[in-house]
């Protein structure tokens, strides 16, 4: 690894490291020939390669960078030069004074649909130019989408781009699992539809605030991409949400074309009248069907209700500390319970042994509001289905933590699920921390009840009776 101050090719002085990922390290550098600031990408060369394979890898990286250097579009970060030094490929690019989309989402949360549509149109423009030159990007993701001061987006990092119809990088450095199309994970050839799938996943992340196939680890993410449907978008609105769901189809042939994606993104910006927005393209129909199937007839309000902005029963979320009395908490926790409003929308009752909390109940509440496309209860129903899917994907064992399945709960709210986890203590295989969580929905309100116990004895199944009893008390209080 080169250090700051290193002079590359007698011309590019490395100033500071800007970021590092699986595909390489990006530096800010000073071009001492033209006296300007540039970005320099140090391409990661897998260590396990033989000398011959290293040479092949370097040749391919140089060839692809030169191909990318031919691309010209306002939304493409320009490639200026390629350097091979001691078998190490380096790519010289424009230095963009912007921030990556993933950082913007992490710091500011979900973006509004119209802004997401603008980002999508810019990235789509860059991809269309690349595809017209017979090149697929292969690594479209929020980290490779840069936003400048006025919100304009640019697509960077064509370092692993390949010709249309080409296969994934045999050295294993190409792409990020959550943003790789299913056919790429199956080692099938890449095409424009693969990049559009990745764009759909990136825009989904931007508007919803989390990735469509978010899971605990890369293997679980890859399995979700191949086997599961993403949770229906909630914040995107009906038109953008339907487009994103269609773009994430498993079958490349079922996805909308670039022209169809462009048309729909322009329609999102145009904010057509409700009557016009209800028109559906043939490729948007599966999005509606997927939402109905995922939510089920019991939790779905029906297509006839869509578009009616019912605000729901709750103008604001009830104070969680008022949904359970101190006497009820003490009875459930079997001890003197201390109550504290730990943060907005959350209340916790704890039983202590000395200064140490050994058992606790946490109640959280939040009310969903109409979005312009969906009423409050519809938003809550979609959010509940989203949470059910995501939580169900966490089931399994990882290191000392075991996560159980998601199960439906009867007679709690309009719909409810429960899930338990157990984490073994270090050096005590038969003891650990146990948590059981109930998520319930009623009208436009979602509430979460968490039962936590320290020093719990390990068994084949965590006892869910305490959390279910607590959830029923909270549900009763909500009905009142």
């Amino acid at each position: 690894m080169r250090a700051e101050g290193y002079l590359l090719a007698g011309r590019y002085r490395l100033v500071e490291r800007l970021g590092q990922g699986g595909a390489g390290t990006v530096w800010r550098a000073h071009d001492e020939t033209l006296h300007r600031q540039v970005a320099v990408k140090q391409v990661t060369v897998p260590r396990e390669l033989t000398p011959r394979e290293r040479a092949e890898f370097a040749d391919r990286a140089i060839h692809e960078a030169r191909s990318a250097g031919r691309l010209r579009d306002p939304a493409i970060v320009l490639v200026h030069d390629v350097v091979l030094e001691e078998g190490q490929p380096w790519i010289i690019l424009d230095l963009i004074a912007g921030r990556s989309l993933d950082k913007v989402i992490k710091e500011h949360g979900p973006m509004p649909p119209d802004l997401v549509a603008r980002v999508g149109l810019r990235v789509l423009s860059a991809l269309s130019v690349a595809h017209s030159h017979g090149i697929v990007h292969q690594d479209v993701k929020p980290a490779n989408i840069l936003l400048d001061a006025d919100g304009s987006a640019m697509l960077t990092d064509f370092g692993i781009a390949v010709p249309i119809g080409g296969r994934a990088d045999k050295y294993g450095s190409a792409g990020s699992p959550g943003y790789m199309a299913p056919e790429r994970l199956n080692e099938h050839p890449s095409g424009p539809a693969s990049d559009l799938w990745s764009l759909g996943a990136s825009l989904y992340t931007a508007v919803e605030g989390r990735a469509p196939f978010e899971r605990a680890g890369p293997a679980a993410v890859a399995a979700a991409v191949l086997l599961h449907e993403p949770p229906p978008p909630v914040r995107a609105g009906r038109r953008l949400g339907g487009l994103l769901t269609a773009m994430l189809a498993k079958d490349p042939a079922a996805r909308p074309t670039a022209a169809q994606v462009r048309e729909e993104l322009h329609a999102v910006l145009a904010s057509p009248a409700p009557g016009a927005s209800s028109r559906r393209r043939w490729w948007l129909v599966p999005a509606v069907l997927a939402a109905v199937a995922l939510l089920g007839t019991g939790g779905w309000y029906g297509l006839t209700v869509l578009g009616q902005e019912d605000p729901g029963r709750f103008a604001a979320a009830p104070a969680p500390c008022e949904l359970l009395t101190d006497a009820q908490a003490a009875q459930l926790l079997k001890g003197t319970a201390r109550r504290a409003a730990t943060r907005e929308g959350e209340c916790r009752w704890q039983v202590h042994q000395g200064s140490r909390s050994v058992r606790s109940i946490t109640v959280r509440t939040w009310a969903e509001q109409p979005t312009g496309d969906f009423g409050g209860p519809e938003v809550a129903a979609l959010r509940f289905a989203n949470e059910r899917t995501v939580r169900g994907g966490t089931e399994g064992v990882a290191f000392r933590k075991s996560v159980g399945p998601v199960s439906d709960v009867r007679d709690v709210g309009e719909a409810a699920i429960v899930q338990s986890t157990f984490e073994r203590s270090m050096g005590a295989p038969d003891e650990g921390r146990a948590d059981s969580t109930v998520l319930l929905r009623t009208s436009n309100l979602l509430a979460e009840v968490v039962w936590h116990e320290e020093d719990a004895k390990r068994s084949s199944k965590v006892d869910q009776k305490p959390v279910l009893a607590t959830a029923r008390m909270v549900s009763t209080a909500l009905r009142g």
Side-chain angles (χ1 to χ4, degrees):
M1 176 67 71
R2 300 300 183 185
E4 295 174 1
Y6 177 74
L7 185 63
L8 172 66
R11 176 174 177 175
Y12 305 106
R13 180 79 64 184
L14 303 186
V15 177
E16 66 172 327
R17 189 180 305 166
L18 299 177
Q20 186 171 357
T25 302
V26 179
W27 299 81
R28 181 169 66 88
H30 180 70
D31 182 347
E32 297 192 346
T33 299
L34 298 180
H35 302 290
R36 63 176 181 175
Q37 299 291 305
V38 295
V40 175
K41 180 178 179 180
Q42 180 182 5
V43 180
T44 298
V45 180
R47 294 182 179 180
E48 67 274 13
L49 300 186
T50 66
R52 179 178 177 178
E53 290 173 335
R54 289 179 65 89
E56 291 176 353
F57 181 94
D59 287 344
R60 181 190 164 196
I62 292 173
H63 173 74
E64 291 167 359
R66 287 172 177 166
S67 297
R70 301 196 307 268
L71 306 180
R72 292 291 183 271
D73 186 85
I76 293 178
V77 177
L78 295 180
V79 176
H80 294 294
D81 195 4
V82 185
V83 173
L84 182 64
E85 188 165 288
E86 298 179 2
Q88 169 72 63
W90 302 74
I91 303 172
I92 317 303
L93 311 103
D94 265 348
L95 180 66
I96 305 300
R99 305 174 65 218
S100 64
L101 180 59
D102 66 330
K103 290 184 179 178
V104 172
I105 297 168
K106 288 176 183 176
E107 294 178 10
H108 300 286
M111 297 167 59
D114 61 332
L115 183 54
V116 172
R118 293 183 188 280
V119 170
L121 285 168
R122 289 274 295 187
V123 177
L124 184 63
S125 175
L127 291 175
S128 296
V129 169
H131 296 163
S132 70
H133 283 74
I135 295 173
V136 286
H137 186 282
Q138 285 210 123
D139 200 17
V140 180
K141 60 184 179 182
N144 284 338
I145 298 173
L146 304 180
L147 303 181
D148 62 19
D150 66 359
S152 295
M154 299 188 72
L155 181 61
T156 187
D157 204 352
F158 278 83
I160 61 173
V162 299
I164 288 176
R167 293 184 180 272
D169 180 5
K170 70 179 181 179
Y171 301 113
S173 63
S176 303
Y179 298 96
M180 290 172 65
E183 60 270 21
R184 288 202 53 220
L185 290 172
N186 280 324
E187 299 184 352
H188 293 163
S190 299
S194 305
D195 278 347
L196 294 181
W197 190 98
S198 300
L199 175 59
S202 299
L203 298 182
Y204 182 110
T205 302
V207 74
E208 295 297 309
R210 65 181 178 191
F213 299 97
E214 187 175 72
R215 297 294 190 273
V221 171
V225 169
L226 291 170
L227 302 174
H228 301 294
E229 298 300 325
V234 175
R235 301 179 184 274
R238 199 182 319 165
R239 188 149 207 164
L240 180 59
L243 172 63
L244 297 180
T245 304
M247 292 174 73
L248 293 174
K250 306 297 184 192
D251 181 1
R255 298 169 199 156
T257 64
Q260 290 169 326
V261 172
R262 185 178 296 107
E263 180 184 358
E264 287 299 309
L265 291 176
H266 277 300
V268 172
L269 288 179
S271 300
S277 66
S278 65
R279 292 187 300 111
R280 295 189 180 93
R281 307 294 192 272
W282 63 268
W283 44 270
L284 288 179
V285 173
V288 178
L289 298 179
V292 174
L294 191 69
L295 292 172
T297 56
W300 183 249
Y301 284 80
L303 295 178
T304 58
V305 184
L306 288 176
Q308 299 178 12
E309 289 198 22
D310 174 16
R313 284 180 49 209
F314 300 91
C321 288
E322 297 177 2
L323 299 178
L324 200 67
T325 68
D326 291 344
Q328 288 174 322
Q331 179 184 3
L332 292 162
L333 291 168
K334 298 180 180 179
T336 302
R338 302 178 187 176
R339 181 184 61 183
T342 45
R343 61 182 181 183
E344 184 178 358
E346 179 180 286
C347 191
R348 181 171 298 155
W349 291 262
Q350 295 176 308
V351 169
H352 288 76
Q353 286 184 357
S355 60
R356 181 169 171 264
S357 173
V358 291
R359 288 184 301 280
S360 67
I361 293 171
T362 303
V363 178
R364 305 183 183 101
T365 58
W366 63 99
E368 299 289 357
Q369 304 301 325
T371 64
D373 286 296
F374 300 107
E378 295 168 324
V379 175
L382 287 167
R383 181 65 65 190
F384 180 86
N386 186 320
E387 290 292 333
R388 194 188 199 292
T389 300
V390 171
R391 297 182 190 204
T394 64
E395 180 182 352
V397 179
F399 301 104
R400 293 181 289 115
K401 188 173 184 179
S402 301
V403 181
V406 170
S407 302
D408 293 314
V409 180
R410 294 182 178 181
D411 304 323
V412 174
E414 295 177 21
I417 54 175
V418 63
Q419 185 178 36
S420 297
T421 64
F422 183 88
E423 186 172 358
R424 291 186 292 106
S425 300
M426 291 289 291
D430 295 327
E431 290 186 357
R433 293 180 291 275
D435 289 273
S436 292
T437 302
V438 168
L439 177 69
L440 67 93
R441 174 182 61 79
T442 180
S443 186
N444 63 313
L445 184 83
L446 293 173
E448 188 175 56
V449 179
V450 182
W451 172 278
H452 174 80
E453 184 174 1
E454 295 283 339
D455 305 327
K457 297 296 182 181
R458 186 180 185 183
S459 63
S460 59
K461 187 176 181 181
V462 175
D463 183 9
Q464 296 180 341
K465 292 179 182 178
V467 75
L468 293 176
T470 307
R472 289 189 174 92
M473 292 179 182
V474 170
S475 179
T476 299
L478 290 172
R479 287 199 300 268

